[in-house]
Amino acid sequence: MDKHLEHMPVLSRGRHRNPKRGACFMELASYLAGERWSDHPACTHPLLAALARLVNDNVNDENRAALVPLVPSIIGLTGDDLRVDARIALRCATTALPVAAAERQLALAVSVLAAEEMLARLDGAPPGRLSEASRRALDEVPHASAQARRFSRAAKITEKGFRRYAAPNAVQLAVVGIVQACVNDPDALLRRLLEETIADCAAMMHGTTPPNDATTTYGTTSTRGTTTARDSTSAPAASAASAPVSAPVGASVGASVGAAADGPARAGAASEAAVRV
């Protein structure tokens, strides 16, 4: 066996003082990147790293070990373009929204619309633009979507507020929503979310178009696809147990999202999401 591999730290929950005590996903990334040992290394975009830490802490031991091959792909994905934050938040919110409990759907739907608004603003596109993935996710929860659209029309979001509060909260809400969702394999969905978010970031930073970028505007035909946005008011899905989320949401996103952020949490049980910022 390669002697180097013999000394590789084993992935486990939480942060660790040194490699002998184990490693989380991002600590292993810092180790492989040759940086100082840290779960907040400079080699990865802060919001992408936050998602990786959350996934690391909320899958079981067997599935956590299976994340190791993804670690090298996250190294070097960094930058200060706000589009990256928006794309990460959007991927997380659209993945979690269709499976999340009813009490989290409004906050996640607002997160989808906030990320889309920010991307449209940064791209100089007209307001109301939606990607195909966002349209599909919002169509899954028509009641929450209608409420979110009414709220978003009245709310104002700043770039600073989006980066500091809205985007991180969208990531945390998404992971909590998936962990507590009534799905057969939440670990598999968390892994897929991390893989697709890494792919989104790599595509943006390498100057290529990320997948599933067909767009539409509210009530109009898609400019890159053939679908139209719909809005309905049917009842939301049945609710599940809630878990606290540590990051507060600023006024830039609004009270409906802030209501879901009700304090710090850290738990090992699958019924509660472990949150580490």
Side-chain angles (χ1 to χ4, degrees):
M1 180 182 292
D2 189 324
K3 290 184 178 180
H4 179 70
L5 294 178
E6 290 178 357
H7 298 288
M8 288 284 286
V10 176
L11 290 190
S12 58
R13 280 191 179 96
R15 59 175 60 92
H16 306 78
R17 184 173 298 176
N18 56 58
K20 292 181 180 179
R21 296 177 179 269
C24 74
F25 190 100
M26 289 312 303
E27 287 168 338
L28 183 56
S30 74
Y31 179 89
L32 295 177
E35 291 191 28
R36 179 181 62 84
W37 182 259
S38 172
D39 65 348
H40 288 65
C43 63
T44 302
H45 188 281
L47 193 58
L48 179 58
L51 173 61
R53 289 189 295 272
L54 287 165
V55 172
N56 175 90
D57 288 359
N58 285 286
V59 298
N60 64 34
D61 292 344
E62 181 180 356
N63 289 323
R64 186 180 303 106
L67 296 175
V68 170
L70 298 179
V71 175
S73 66
I74 212 169
I75 296 171
L77 295 181
T78 190
D80 59 3
D81 188 344
L82 189 56
R83 291 176 182 84
V84 178
D85 301 71
R87 183 67 65 181
I88 293 169
L90 186 60
R91 173 66 72 177
C92 290
T94 54
T95 300
L97 180 56
V99 302
E103 66 265 23
R104 297 200 179 278
Q105 290 172 2
L106 175 57
L108 284 165
V110 171
S111 294
V112 170
L113 296 177
E116 288 282 16
E117 178 189 340
M118 188 56 58
L119 283 169
R121 186 187 305 174
L122 294 169
D123 291 343
R129 184 183 72 173
L130 284 179
S131 66
E132 174 64 14
S134 295
R135 186 201 64 79
R136 288 197 306 266
L138 291 167
D139 282 353
E140 291 283 341
V141 291
H143 182 70
S145 296
Q147 289 182 296
R149 284 174 171 136
R150 287 194 294 271
F151 173 83
S152 296
R153 282 194 289 267
K156 297 297 181 182
I157 183 168
T158 66
E159 294 181 9
K160 181 179 179 181
F162 182 82
R163 170 169 277 159
R164 185 171 181 181
Y165 298 113
N169 197 67
V171 171
Q172 289 193 8
L173 282 169
V175 172
V176 171
I178 291 170
V179 168
Q180 298 188 336
C182 294
V183 294
N184 291 331
D185 193 351
D187 283 13
L189 186 53
L190 287 174
R191 180 192 170 98
R192 192 191 87 195
L193 171 60
L194 181 57
E195 288 177 330
E196 291 178 347
T197 306
I198 292 171
D200 287 344
C201 292
M204 291 190 73
M205 294 173 187
H206 296 157
T208 59
T209 303
N212 301 322
D213 71 326
T215 60
T216 185
T217 54
Y218 301 156
T220 64
T221 304
S222 171
T223 58
R224 299 186 208 174
T226 58
T227 58
T228 58
R230 293 187 292 111
D231 195 8
S232 177
T233 56
S234 60
S239 64
S242 63
V245 177
S246 64
V249 180
S252 60
V253 179
S256 70
V257 179
D262 51 14
R266 183 67 185 270
S271 61
E272 296 184 354
V275 176
R276 174 162 51 108
V277 293

